[in-house]
Amino acid sequence: MNCLNLLHITRDRLKTNLDILKSIRNPRDPALLQQWEKLLKELQEDCRRPLPCMTDQPRANSLDRNKWQLRSQLLQQLAQMAKEAKPVNMVGTAKEWLHRLNAVIPEPQESLPDVLIWLMSRQQRVAYARVPAHTVLFSPAGPLSSGKFCGKIQNILLQYPEGEGQDTFPASLRVCMWLGNVKYSKNLKLLQQGSMVVYAETYENQAKTRDDWGQQGLYHCPNFSDVMGRKALPKTDFKAPPGWHWKDDWVVEPQRRLLLDIDINKSQVLEEVYENQLRNATGAWVPAAIPNTDVNGQPVEALENVKCPQGWHFKKNWIVKLNHAVDSEGWEYGVGIPPSGLPQIWNSVEKTYHSCRRRRWVRVRFRNHKELGQERSQEQETLSFLQMQDLSEEGKEGWEYGTFDSRFHLDPQPTSRFRRRCWHRQLAPNKDRGVASIFLLEGSLAVEQKDQPRKEMEKTRSWQPWKDLRHTPEDPRIPTTPFIYYILNKPHYYQLFCYIYQARNLMYNQILTFQEPFIQVVFLNHSLCTQTLRSSAAPTWSQSIIFQHLLLFEDPKDTRENPPLVVLELWQHDSRGNKILWGRSMWPPVVWLGLQDWVFTPLRWHPLVRELGEEEGEILASCELILETQKLKELHPPILSIPCKDGIYLLPKNIQPTMKMMAIEIMAWGLRNMTKVRYPQLLLECGGESLKTEPISNFQENPNFPTSTFFFTVFMPLEETHAQPLVVKVVDNQEYGQQIVVGQANIDFLQPYFCDPWSLNYTTVKLPTLSVKKPDTFLDFVYKKFWFDSSKDEEVYEEEVDWWSKLFWATGDADKSLNYNHKSYHTLKVYDCELEAVLTFKGLQDFCQTFKLYQEKPKVDSPVVGEFKGLFRIYPFPEDPEAPKPPRQFSAWPEIEDFPQMCLVRVYLIRAINLQPQDYNGLCDPYVILKLGQTKLGSRDSYYPNTLDPIFGMMYELTCNIPLEKDLEIQLFDFDLITADDEIGSTVIDLENRLLSGFGARCGLSKSYCKSGPFKWRDQMTPSYLLYRYAKQKGLPPPVFDLEGDSLYYNGETFKLQSFESAPPTYKHLGPKKERLALYILNTQGLVPEHVETRTLHSNSQPGIDQGKIQMWVDIFPKMLGPPGPQVNISPRKPKR
């Protein structure tokens, strides 16, 4: 158990630091790095703490020793990993460490059972809590080896038995527990203050016969019994336990629960009276025999006779409640059923056979606010259930009246026929016996019972034949066990401040708007509510809830270490006006024992948990509990200066988010890979504002939106921690007007989309032109002439170099490459990663990003139901309507008509590297399958036997319709002669991103412009035309060529060919000077060069594990741009004699 507690401390500290790390959502926040360093430091401290050795334990078995060795090795590994960790993927790394810790914590042979706490009501178990024994177990090795709650106050949430009331909590407990060997309990002091009192208890019962109270008429009930009246407990049967003695004689102790005001912890109470009427013989409604009742039909005072109790007041008069199933006047109707004459079912529509009707009158009663210096408040008058009351002064004998199946009252009723009173006798320990005296009581009185003479036991049973007649089950609890009370005389007063700003929904697959929401704050046995708002998707209260004069009897240091939980419940109203619990959030408040170093607790996002424990919402709030010291009691409540307006406390300005109007522009390009949708449309939500696009009318032929640019304004907080996500929902319009959310994406971090539209160097996003227009007559002439020349039959030539020479020059493999004089003209860039992973190319999502859509909250294995392609721009927008408006970032593009686009795709597969072995010989027999839409290329017959590094040297040519067929999947399989072929791995390329990217990823730029030879220019357009299109896309004036001076004017600069070519080139295959100069400039613009990318293969059977790599590249040729360029021969070299 010591080992288990040490591991739990390590796990809990790591989880706490990880939660704080996850709450910092701005990656540029300096607190992020500080929290990461704190996590690493504490993890190293915890992991370097040695676990108790199991090798020298005589009772340890083989499993214990192996488990200890495994845990020790893991802690050493985590300590080393934390020492070497870098601030990269911090949350993911900490999650992996936490996962590994959780894997070794479970104890397969735990010997101690859990501690069960049951909540009983009328001898029925209605709720329970399970406390793991190791959390309260004491260890002499020290506090780190003891349970984290051993001898400490903890919060326990009870739960209903399985299948009952799963959406609510029945109760919350504040308990202090200690479990251990009694020899370590000598100096045990669970609580810092108060005293422990031990009583023997019995109840004296009397019945009323002929107006006299006595033992006659008790029938089967003993004169002195337990609290249920089932077991006889005469005073003479009680014996002092060994080591204890009687301190006082028997005294009457009334039940403290009957002295309390049931509304003591309420600031407002809803009173209700039902007005009842009957239908007479003429069919008219007349007052009933009992005109005023409660909801159960019991008589109550009439409306005009209901008086306001002392200390309360009314603000409004009685009104009829109309928010349930009633008619327009509030009546509900039914048929009276004998013998009570009350209907079993009430209806809102009157029928001729209805004989009864009733309506509900309500009025809210408010508590008066106490002024400073007034007499002791009502709370102070009932500080403790155990506060003694002098019965002699009041002239009472301590009787309580009622029956065992109903509630008892201190005052006799006219119908009272039974009464009882409680007798207590206090016990005190004799002397110090080396252990806590409280443990000497266990079973001690039961031993005395067993030691009684057999005749006395038989005599005791002789007058209890009623037990056999009633067949009452025996209570397993020994009735003569003393009752132990803890008296806390000195309470401490606190004030709780709850700052509630906003709530938001995180539920997927729903279009949700909170209907008239409000927040109910529950703390201990107090509760208050916020104001009710109008329906909103992101309700904003911006309100403070203040609890004043909260009583806590525990030591303030214990409260600061483990304070009671604050519960925030989000409620909304249905169409009938009934309240519905939507979600609940619980967390401990920040405790301040004074205002010396006090600062406002900042707002944080807390999860809202629904019925099944799923976090499907968040609330931006914070809570702080402040102790009322002697100086603070002199201040007028509340002790903090909180602004108030119309009786509602507002948020302090120090923590209130700074709001600013922001414009959000959306470029909604289209939806991808969504099946079984008819007419999808986009729903965008942010900060309570929403926007809907037009539905896509023909999704199967064109999945792009008919209108691509949208705009709306919203007030957003400037602080990153308070920022709300931008929620993108895809709504499908089905038959009969039904709308269903089929996918959702949450964009939590909006910082990358902020821009300054007034900046001089800022360029807007433009759609690349993917078709050749006729007005450019001269360029069109050059373009056609170029293609006329390039389309001629290729000249027959014999060169000493090939494409593989270019690859070997790039990789530095000099053994396989020839000594070639024109090597500098033909360079190739080899990337050791995917082209999308190159940082300078921004994932090839510069025009539009790809957002994965889910139907549930994204997890590791959550299925992706589709993709949304689009982009966002966020910038400040003036609130003054007369102020100048910033320019729009997205414009209406005429080029949108070019989509969908038919394209020719050439896939060049060079080789695979380090494939995962699939056969028993440690090798595999790989072959390639390509999938693009409905097209599938490749054959299992062309496999490469017994290799992990096959050289393919193949080119596949496919035709596709982008974006309908945009995902190119390259699969590698292992050829098996008998069994089914195993998939080695696969990789997927989004061709649409490469086609739309402004980096020219559809076809890499060559180093030189050659019109012939082995390295012939393969793009569809000449470099000069590419430069013209690039300048147009960047919003620059077109380039101006000076053919006589061999110069070019571009972007305010003049470029000369001599600056790139110091000497006239001798390579015979180069093109004209104009194209060479344009290509030199293009190569300086950061575009994708001629390249080979290395893609990692992944497999669904082994997620997250590298299955090998494949080197390749892809060329895309839109047919609207003309015929494609020549193919590149990458066939493997053949040996020569």
Side-chain angles (χ1 to χ4, degrees):
M1 288 300 173
N2 295 353
C3 177
L4 193 61
N5 286 327
L6 288 173
L7 289 173
H8 272 277
I9 291 176
T10 304
R11 192 273 309 271
D12 293 342
R13 292 224 301 181
L14 176 59
K15 186 177 184 302
T16 301
N17 287 323
L18 175 60
D19 292 340
I20 299 176
L21 196 69
K22 290 164 62 177
S23 66
I24 305 175
R25 305 187 178 184
N26 184 6
R28 299 171 185 168
D29 193 340
L32 184 66
L33 189 58
Q34 297 176 4
Q35 180 61 29
W36 172 248
E37 294 174 351
K38 179 175 178 289
L39 184 148
L40 297 180
K41 179 182 177 181
E42 294 186 357
L43 182 60
Q44 292 180 62
E45 292 176 358
D46 294 338
C47 291
R48 288 171 179 168
R49 189 180 300 118
L51 299 178
C53 183
M54 289 292 173
T55 57
D56 54 354
Q57 293 290 334
R59 296 184 180 181
N61 55 26
S62 178
L63 180 59
D64 292 326
R65 288 188 287 269
N66 290 332
K67 195 78 175 176
W68 170 79
Q69 186 176 6
L70 176 64
R71 289 168 171 170
S72 300
Q73 290 178 355
L74 176 62
L75 292 181
Q76 293 175 6
Q77 294 175 6
L78 291 180
Q80 186 64 26
M81 294 168 67
K83 182 179 180 181
E84 301 173 354
K86 304 295 182 184
V88 178
N89 190 20
M90 295 175 280
V91 174
T93 304
K95 280 184 177 180
E96 175 63 23
W97 294 342
L98 183 62
H99 176 73
R100 296 182 64 181
L101 267 176
N102 287 328
V104 301
I105 282 181
E107 185 58 54
Q109 49 184 6
E110 192 169 344
S111 57
L112 285 179
D114 292 342
V115 180
L116 278 178
I117 302 176
W118 283 97
L119 178 64
M120 308 291 292
S121 176
R122 296 184 179 181
Q123 299 300 301
Q124 298 292 327
R125 300 185 177 189
V126 295
Y128 75 98
R130 185 186 297 271
V131 181
H134 70 86
T135 62
V136 295
L137 183 65
F138 175 80
S139 173
L144 292 178
S145 299
S146 302
K148 60 180 179 180
F149 294 122
C150 178
K152 300 178 181 178
I153 298 178
Q154 60 173 314
N155 300 298
I156 296 181
L157 296 174
L158 274 66
Q159 55 183 328
Y160 288 106
E162 185 176 359
E164 301 179 15
Q166 299 299 326
D167 57 338
T168 58
F169 288 110
S172 171
L173 296 180
R174 294 273 289 169
V175 298
C176 183
M177 306 174 70
W178 187 93
L179 174 64
N181 196 323
V182 292
K183 66 181 181 180
Y184 302 128
S185 64
K186 180 178 180 180
N187 299 320
L188 174 64
K189 188 174 179 63
L190 293 182
L191 301 178
Q192 300 297 326
Q193 59 182 6
S195 59
M196 192 174 297
V197 182
V198 180
Y199 288 110
E201 180 182 275
T202 185
Y203 280 84
E204 180 184 2
N205 305 311
Q206 289 186 358
K208 190 174 184 180
T209 305
R210 297 178 182 179
D211 296 333
D212 293 328
W213 292 97
Q215 299 182 16
Q216 296 181 359
L218 288 177
Y219 300 105
H220 305 300
C221 181
N223 184 21
F224 285 89
S225 69
D226 64 343
V227 67
M228 298 303 297
R230 296 179 179 177
K231 295 188 178 182
L233 296 177
K235 295 180 181 179
T236 57
D237 286 359
F238 286 89
K239 306 295 181 181
W244 291 75
H245 64 275
W246 297 114
K247 186 176 181 180
D248 298 313
D249 199 0
W250 291 95
V251 295
V252 175
E253 172 65 29
Q255 290 293 300
R256 296 297 103 195
R257 56 185 174 82
L258 302 178
L259 302 177
L260 289 177
D261 179 10
I262 59 174
D263 300 329
I264 189 67
N265 298 310
K266 299 178 181 178
S267 60
Q268 59 185 37
V269 177
L270 180 67
E271 295 184 341
E272 62 179 10
V273 174
Y274 281 85
E275 178 187 359
N276 297 270
Q277 291 185 355
L278 296 176
R279 194 190 297 270
N280 61 11
T282 61
W285 292 103
V286 296
I290 305 178
N292 301 287
T293 64
D294 59 8
V295 67
N296 298 318
Q298 299 298 321
V300 297
E301 294 287 344
L303 299 179
E304 58 274 9
N305 296 333
V306 177
K307 298 181 180 179
C308 184
Q310 184 178 0
W312 297 79
H313 69 278
F314 296 115
K315 292 184 178 180
K316 296 182 180 179
N317 205 350
W318 295 95
I319 60 171
V320 177
K321 214 55 172 162
L322 302 175
N323 63 344
H324 57 290
V326 295
D327 62 9
S328 59
E329 296 181 357
W331 294 103
E332 52 184 0
Y333 303 85
V335 178
I337 300 177
S340 64
L342 298 177
Q344 298 293 328
I345 300 176
W346 295 94
N347 298 284
S348 60
V349 180
E350 180 183 3
K351 302 294 183 181
T352 56
Y353 54 81
H354 285 151
S355 60
C356 305
R357 73 173 184 177
R358 69 177 185 180
R359 60 180 173 182
R360 182 184 179 216
W361 292 83
V362 298
R363 182 173 63 175
V364 180
R365 171 163 42 100
F366 297 89
R367 184 181 294 278
N368 296 337
H369 293 289
K370 300 288 183 180
E371 296 295 334
L372 190 65
Q374 202 173 2
E375 295 294 330
R376 291 196 312 168
S377 65
Q378 200 167 7
E379 292 90 344
Q380 290 174 312
E381 295 174 0
T382 53
L383 289 180
S384 172
F385 287 172
L386 298 179
Q387 155 184 329
M388 296 302 296
Q389 184 183 26
D390 192 352
L391 299 178
S392 59
E393 294 181 2
E394 299 183 6
K396 296 183 179 180
E397 299 178 353
W399 295 103
E400 53 188 46
Y401 302 83
T403 61
F404 286 111
D405 295 329
S406 66
R407 186 180 178 214
F408 283 86
H409 303 272
L410 289 180
D411 299 322
Q413 304 294 326
T415 58
S416 298
R417 291 292 179 268
F418 181 85
R419 71 178 183 178
R420 69 179 184 183
R421 59 181 173 180
C422 179
W423 290 85
H424 277 172
R425 191 175 188 185
Q426 187 174 350
L427 288 163
N430 291 337
K431 59 180 180 179
D432 186 9
R433 300 183 59 177
V435 298
S437 58
I438 198 67
F439 292 113
L440 300 177
L441 288 171
E442 185 176 359
S444 58
L445 294 187
V447 174
E448 296 294 331
Q449 290 275 344
K450 293 178 182 178
D451 292 341
Q452 291 180 1
R454 184 177 182 88
K455 293 182 179 180
E456 187 177 350
M457 296 295 294
E458 292 177 355
K459 181 180 179 182
T460 305
R461 295 195 190 98
S462 63
W463 51 267
Q464 294 180 342
W466 55 275
K467 291 188 177 181
D468 299 330
L469 296 175
R470 294 174 58 183
H471 301 286
T472 304
E474 286 288 338
D475 189 351
R477 180 174 61 85
I478 301 173
T480 53
T481 301
F483 288 85
I484 306 170
Y485 297 91
Y486 213 91
I487 299 181
L488 302 166
N489 299 319
K490 183 183 178 182
H492 295 276
Y493 289 90
Y494 293 83
Q495 291 192 19
L496 178 68
F497 295 82
C498 296
Y499 311 114
I500 304 171
Y501 183 68
Q502 193 176 53
R504 68 186 185 193
N505 168 46
L506 298 180
M507 290 183 63
Y508 280 67
N509 201 20
Q510 283 192 13
I511 306 176
L512 180 67
T513 300
F514 296 104
Q515 304 294 333
E516 300 181 3
F518 68 94
I519 295 292
Q520 182 177 11
V521 184
V522 182
F523 184 73
L524 298 175
N525 47 1
H526 304 262
S527 67
L528 288 175
C529 297
T530 65
Q531 56 183 334
T532 301
L533 303 181
R534 60 179 179 85
S535 300
S536 172
T540 303
W541 290 274
S542 189
Q543 184 175 344
S544 297
I545 299 295
I546 302 177
F547 293 85
Q548 301 183 26
H549 303 300
L550 297 173
L551 274 72
L552 285 176
F553 291 94
E554 57 203 53
D555 188 83
K557 296 180 181 179
D558 294 336
T559 305
R560 181 172 58 182
E561 183 177 353
N562 190 10
L565 295 177
V566 177
V567 181
L568 269 68
E569 296 179 337
L570 174 58
W571 294 78
Q572 60 177 344
H573 294 80
D574 60 9
S575 57
R576 295 183 176 181
N578 299 323
K579 297 187 297 182
I580 301 175
L581 177 63
W582 191 90
R584 179 186 290 108
S585 183
M586 295 180 291
W587 71 88
V590 178
V591 180
W592 300 93
L593 302 184
L595 297 182
Q596 291 82 6
D597 302 324
W598 169 85
V599 291
F600 275 113
T601 304
L603 300 176
R604 295 288 185 187
W605 288 105
H606 299 276
L608 282 170
V609 180
R610 301 204 69 189
E611 299 175 5
L612 300 179
E614 294 291 333
E615 298 179 1
E616 297 180 344
E618 284 184 326
I619 183 168
L620 185 59
S622 66
C623 299
E624 52 188 2
L625 187 65
I626 302 177
L627 176 66
E628 290 187 5
T629 60
Q630 193 62 34
K631 292 183 178 180
L632 296 179
K633 289 181 181 179
E634 300 174 359
L635 302 177
H636 192 280
I639 56 179
L640 298 183
S641 178
I642 306 295
C644 183
K645 182 180 180 181
D646 299 331
I648 297 176
Y649 288 104
L650 307 179
L651 276 187
K653 294 184 178 180
N654 300 29
I655 62 173
Q656 189 168 4
T658 305
M659 307 298 291
K660 188 174 184 179
M661 179 176 282
M662 306 292 286
I664 301 180
E665 283 196 54
I666 304 100
M667 192 275 289
W669 185 244
L671 301 174
R672 306 291 182 260
N673 298 334
M674 302 199 71
T675 59
K676 300 179 182 180
V677 293
R678 297 170 59 88
Y679 306 105
Q681 65 180 133
L682 212 60
L683 172 63
L684 296 109
E685 299 175 348
C686 184
E689 302 292 336
S690 61
L691 181 143
K692 273 190 177 181
T693 67
E694 297 180 8
I696 301 177
S697 57
N698 195 346
F699 183 76
Q700 304 302 327
E701 295 184 3
N702 186 2
N704 290 347
F705 290 100
T707 305
S708 59
T709 58
F710 302 92
F711 172 90
F712 71 96
T713 58
V714 62
F715 282 95
M716 297 178 62
L718 299 183
E719 299 84 355
E720 285 294 332
T721 54
H722 302 159
Q724 296 193 30
L726 181 61
V727 182
V728 179
K729 296 181 180 179
V730 179
V731 182
D732 187 26
N733 296 273
Q734 299 186 348
E735 296 178 349
Y736 308 109
Q738 185 180 11
Q739 291 186 334
I740 299 177
V741 177
V742 294
Q744 177 176 332
N746 283 9
I747 306 167
D748 294 314
F749 187 52
L750 301 178
Q751 191 63 34
Y753 308 107
F754 281 82
C755 67
D756 183 7
W758 301 106
S759 178
L760 298 178
N761 57 356
Y762 178 76
T763 57
T764 60
V765 178
K766 293 187 178 181
L767 177 65
T769 305
L770 297 176
S771 61
V772 178
K773 305 298 180 182
K774 293 182 179 180
D776 300 327
T777 54
F778 175 73
L779 292 174
D780 189 49
F781 169 75
V782 175
Y783 171 76
K784 292 182 178 179
K785 184 175 184 354
F786 168 76
W787 275 114
F788 178 78
D789 295 338
S790 65
S791 60
K792 293 181 180 179
D793 295 336
E794 198 170 317
E795 297 179 1
V796 179
Y797 55 88
E798 186 71 22
E799 292 286 345
E800 57 181 346
V801 294
D802 58 1
W803 180 89
W804 288 92
S805 302
K806 188 187 296 189
L807 177 64
F808 295 143
W809 295 335
T811 57
D813 195 348
D815 297 335
K816 297 182 180 180
S817 59
L818 300 174
N819 188 8
Y820 190 59
N821 294 331
H822 307 292
K823 189 186 301 185
S824 59
Y825 291 99
H826 315 292
T827 58
L828 183 70
K829 180 66 176 178
V830 179
Y831 294 108
D832 59 354
C833 60
E834 293 83 356
L835 192 61
E836 292 83 356
V838 180
L839 295 179
T840 55
F841 300 144
K842 301 179 182 179
L844 301 180
Q845 298 187 21
D846 51 300
F847 172 71
C848 66
Q849 294 185 358
T850 303
F851 302 95
K852 295 181 179 180
L853 301 173
Y854 300 89
Q855 281 191 329
E856 60 183 17
K857 190 173 182 178
K859 300 178 183 177
V860 177
D861 55 347
S862 297
V864 179
V865 299
E867 297 174 351
F868 163 67
K869 285 188 175 291
L871 198 61
F872 306 97
R873 287 292 180 264
I874 304 174
Y875 50 87
F877 196 80
E879 298 184 33
D880 185 4
E882 298 182 358
K885 304 296 187 295
R888 293 291 180 90
Q889 305 305 298
F890 304 122
S891 56
W893 300 302
E895 297 86 352
I896 196 172
E897 301 175 358
D898 296 341
F899 292 88
Q901 177 90 249
M902 293 298 298
C903 299
L904 178 71
V905 180
R906 289 177 182 162
V907 184
Y908 296 88
L909 302 180
I910 303 168
R911 59 188 176 188
I913 304 172
N914 245 347
L915 296 179
Q916 281 281 354
Q918 303 292 323
D919 298 334
Y920 291 111
N921 58 2
L923 302 173
C924 61
D925 308 315
Y927 65 91
V928 180
I929 296 295
L930 266 68
K931 292 182 180 179
L932 182 58
Q934 301 298 323
T935 306
K936 182 177 179 180
L937 297 180
S939 173
R940 67 188 301 269
D941 296 332
S942 56
Y943 69 92
Y944 295 80
N946 298 326
T947 180
L948 298 179
D949 303 289
I951 297 178
F952 300 118
M954 296 183 297
M955 189 275 296
Y956 294 92
E957 195 170 81
L958 308 92
T959 301
C960 65
N961 188 352
I962 296 179
L964 297 177
E965 302 166 317
K966 72 175 187 67
D967 291 325
L968 172 65
E969 185 177 9
I970 303 167
Q971 297 176 306
L972 266 70
F973 288 89
D974 174 52
F975 176 85
D976 289 323
L977 187 61
I978 300 176
T979 60
D981 296 347
D982 300 322
E983 182 184 3
I984 302 174
S986 63
T987 182
V988 180
I989 301 176
D990 191 329
L991 300 179
E992 184 180 14
N993 284 348
R994 302 198 172 198
L995 183 64
L996 296 176
S997 174
F999 292 100
R1002 61 176 189 83
C1003 186
L1005 280 176
S1006 299
K1007 178 69 174 180
S1008 58
Y1009 177 70
C1010 301
K1011 296 192 62 175
S1012 59
F1015 308 121
K1016 189 176 180 181
W1017 179 261
R1018 69 178 193 276
D1019 202 336
Q1020 290 174 284
M1021 294 171 287
T1022 60
S1024 58
Y1025 191 60
L1026 284 175
L1027 183 61
Y1028 168 79
R1029 289 161 53 92
Y1030 182 79
K1032 181 179 179 182
Q1033 180 182 352
K1034 294 297 181 181
L1036 302 174
V1040 179
F1041 292 91
D1042 183 4
L1043 300 181
E1044 296 181 358
D1046 295 337
S1047 63
L1048 184 149
Y1049 183 78
Y1050 171 74
N1051 195 16
E1053 296 184 39
T1054 301
F1055 300 90
K1056 292 187 177 181
L1057 186 61
Q1058 296 178 358
S1059 59
F1060 298 98
E1061 298 177 356
S1062 56
T1066 58
Y1067 188 58
K1068 61 180 180 179
H1069 300 294
L1070 292 178
K1073 297 180 180 180
K1074 174 185 174 181
E1075 305 299 338
R1076 301 204 307 269
L1077 180 57
L1079 183 58
Y1080 286 137
I1081 298 176
L1082 283 172
N1083 279 315
T1084 62
Q1085 302 302 309
L1087 301 178
V1088 176
E1090 186 179 359
H1091 65 278
V1092 170
E1093 59 178 310
T1094 305
R1095 303 190 67 86
T1096 303
L1097 300 174
H1098 298 280
S1099 175
N1100 292 331
S1101 60
Q1102 295 179 320
I1105 299 178
D1106 186 351
Q1107 303 296 316
K1109 300 182 183 299
I1110 184 171
Q1111 288 188 328
M1112 55 169 293
W1113 87 85
V1114 178
D1115 286 342
I1116 307 174
F1117 302 104
K1119 292 192 174 182
M1120 288 187 178
L1121 290 179
Q1127 299 178 0
V1128 179
N1129 183 13
I1130 63 169
S1131 300
R1133 292 174 174 174
K1134 297 180 181 180
K1136 297 182 180 179
R1137 292 184 179 273

